[in-house]
Amino acid sequence: MTTRTRFGVDENGYYGYFGGAYIPEILHKCVKELQESYLKIMESAEFRKEFAMLLADFAGRPSPLFFAERMSRKYECRLYLKREDLNHTGAHKINNAIGQILIARKMGKTRIIAETGAGQHGVATATVCALMGMPCVVYMGKTDVERQQPNVKRMQMLGAEVVPVTSGNMTLKDATNEAIRDWCCHPSDTFYVIGSTVGPHPYPDMVARLQSVISSEIKSQLLAKEGRDYPDYLIACVGGGSNAAGTIYHYIDDERVKIILAEAGGEGILSGRSAATIHLGKAGIIHGARTLVIQDENGQIEEPYSISAGLDYPGIGPMHANLAVRHRAEVYAVTDSEALDGAFELTRTEGIIPALESAHALGVLKKANLKPDSVVVLTVSGRGDKDMDTYIREMNNY
Ligand SMILES: *Cc1c(COP(=O)(O)O)cnc(C)c1O
């Protein structure tokens, strides 16, 4: 049943050296139950039908593949933008939230928990819980609760309970620990919705499959527009890796397609203030998986920094760690200021205000040596409404 590919997951949940499920004993049964059921559920006709209907009629898919004519001229390529910013709730995260909550329902789970940093995953999860009439608890570091008030209010309006976490640095890592603690206490009725291609097996693979709708749409849209169903380059930003995983999923073993990932360089990879996990991380365990982790010499996880709240995660999906070390993907660290340049350029050239996360993917265009006239698909993972405070502060520089 598993489709084995060179860069896909193996039956034990590994991508080469990375992945696996490193979890407390008490969660063993629930994780095993999920490992044994997720593919069966996802491949059932009933799930596929419901998922496809909700992606179309609730999330608004397919998202357009837009030919960016003026940017193409500037970068001497044929640049297409995959418009995940046009989805309901403003980003690709809704694809995953719909899928996981449908899986939870099929498994008989009645209570949803999630963790969130910037609040985007929390909002997507709370949205789908409202739709399906399920109780939803979202763990969020107290620092993040204070700096992401509009998303906190959105989740509350949708009926979710937002629990501020006061341990550690009071950010995403601490919220995740608290969500795992909750899951340990309620293993039989609760489903933990993880927002990216991270966490213990099967989460990275499950999330990648749910997001793979992005690359299956790219295939048919490119075929219609270019007469071939593959690009020369795919470009996406990586926090945990879910929009990138969705973008590359159906091309992962197709060597004609070059994969370029953009991680958050913050103030520069040598500045001590960045979230460039692939450049700076060492193998370690985070959130139940072996992957690259930004850590000090004692193995303590370091607090990452990026101008974009959705990319400041100290780990990276195991799939992406493997793609990077095996040189299947080329990875750029894009700094805050390069991302801002990209955001203002897209806004003024194509009339699209991107999320700050997506702006990191745009920052690659100036750094990568793209072959002239090549076909490039760049995923705009989300819209910039949530980042207007930052953009307004920067406006005078542009
Ligand atoms: C959360 C988020 C990201 C980062 O998450 P991935 O799992 O790496 O995709 C990127 N873009 C937007 C708009 C986000 O909300």
Side-chain angles (χ1 to χ4, degrees):
M1 186 158 46
T2 319
T3 31
R4 283 295 298 278
T5 70
R6 257 188 82 205
F7 291 100
V9 76
D10 72 17
E11 61 273 17
N12 299 313
Y14 282 88
Y15 299 85
Y17 178 69
F18 302 105
Y22 299 81
I23 46 167
E25 183 63 32
I26 191 165
L27 288 182
H28 192 78
K29 202 165 145 254
C30 338
V31 170
K32 188 130 185 90
E33 184 193 6
L34 184 59
Q35 287 171 355
E36 282 165 359
S37 43
Y38 81 109
L39 286 177
K40 250 179 270 169
I41 292 172
M42 288 181 72
E43 286 167 5
S44 71
E46 191 182 87
F47 173 89
R48 287 159 63 131
K49 188 166 158 231
E50 282 176 20
F51 187 43
M53 185 275 284
L54 288 172
L55 286 179
D57 299 344
F58 188 67
R61 303 202 72 90
S63 68
L65 186 71
F66 174 65
F67 180 62
E69 194 179 329
R70 298 181 64 210
M71 292 269 282
S72 291
R73 217 172 299 140
K74 185 160 176 187
Y75 290 101
E76 298 177 337
C77 63
R78 298 184 59 73
L79 177 65
Y80 289 91
L81 304 174
K82 183 60 173 160
R83 300 289 310 278
E84 294 300 299
D85 58 308
L86 293 176
N87 295 338
H88 182 38
T89 72
H92 64 293
K93 288 202 170 72
I94 193 76
N95 307 327
N96 173 55
I98 292 171
Q100 279 193 51
I101 295 170
L102 279 177
I103 291 170
R105 228 168 47 170
K106 301 265 180 264
M107 291 176 70
K109 306 292 179 183
T110 53
R111 176 174 176 269
I112 297 296
I113 60 170
E115 87 296 325
T116 196
Q120 296 300 107
H121 171 55
V123 168
T125 304
T127 297
V128 181
C129 285
L131 174 72
M132 301 201 184
M134 289 174 90
C136 177
V137 178
V138 180
Y139 290 92
M140 190 170 187
K142 185 162 164 281
T143 312
D144 290 331
V145 170
E146 281 156 13
R147 60 187 180 190
Q148 309 289 344
Q149 270 298 306
N151 276 342
V152 172
K153 297 289 177 227
R154 250 173 230 133
M155 289 184 266
Q156 289 169 339
M157 182 167 173
L158 287 157
E161 180 192 348
V162 180
V163 180
V165 174
T166 55
S167 55
N169 284 321
M170 310 191 206
T171 59
L172 178 61
K173 171 168 62 70
D174 314 294
T176 303
N177 291 338
E178 214 50 48
I180 291 173
R181 206 159 298 151
D182 178 314
W183 202 22
C184 288
C185 296
H186 308 91
S188 57
D189 68 339
T190 295
F191 190 97
Y192 177 22
V193 177
I194 294 185
S196 190
T197 41
V198 298
H201 176 63
Y203 281 97
D205 185 50
M206 178 168 64
V207 175
R209 285 171 189 263
L210 293 171
Q211 292 289 3
S212 72
V213 63
I214 298 173
S215 58
S216 66
E217 288 173 6
I218 292 173
K219 278 197 137 179
S220 53
Q221 290 168 324
L222 264 188
L223 184 63
K225 289 172 199 291
E226 283 288 328
R228 60 162 152 124
D229 70 352
Y230 67 95
D232 299 302
Y233 298 92
L234 287 167
I235 305 178
C237 67
V238 277
S242 68
N243 86 87
T247 301
I248 66 181
Y249 193 87
H250 293 287
Y251 299 109
I252 202 162
D253 292 302
D254 185 343
E255 303 276 350
R256 296 172 300 184
V257 181
K258 296 194 175 58
I259 296 171
I260 302 182
L261 305 176
E263 60 177 3
E267 293 174 0
I269 50 175
L270 301 177
S271 68
R273 276 172 58 77
S274 95
T277 310
I278 295 174
H279 282 84
L280 297 173
K282 291 193 277 296
I285 302 225
I286 184 170
H287 302 163
R290 180 157 68 197
T291 185
L292 297 171
V293 183
I294 302 184
Q295 51 190 311
D296 67 16
E297 60 277 13
N298 300 316
Q300 291 299 306
I301 294 167
E302 294 189 272
E303 192 68 21
Y305 162 79
S306 161
I307 193 171
S308 102
L311 299 185
D312 64 357
Y313 178 69
I316 176 78
M319 172 204 269
H320 310 67
N322 186 48
L323 293 173
V325 303
R326 291 170 72 185
H327 305 290
R328 173 69 183 97
E330 199 177 342
V331 185
Y332 288 89
V334 174
T335 63
D336 291 356
S337 66
E338 290 167 337
L340 284 167
D341 288 349
F344 277 89
E345 179 181 52
L346 184 71
T347 302
R348 302 264 165 92
T349 316
E350 301 288 348
I352 297 167
I353 302 178
L356 271 167
E357 292 83 0
S358 323
H360 286 72
L362 293 157
V364 164
L365 293 172
K366 283 202 176 68
K367 296 163 85 87
N369 238 329
L370 303 177
K371 265 197 334 277
D373 303 321
S374 50
V375 174
V376 181
V377 174
L378 184 152
T379 294
V380 180
S381 53
R383 65 177 87 126
D385 305 30
K386 67 185 179 58
D387 299 312
M388 281 314 295
D389 286 348
T390 305
Y391 289 148
I392 290 164
R393 263 198 311 278
E394 295 291 332
M395 200 101 77
N396 293 334
N397 301 326
Y398 290 90

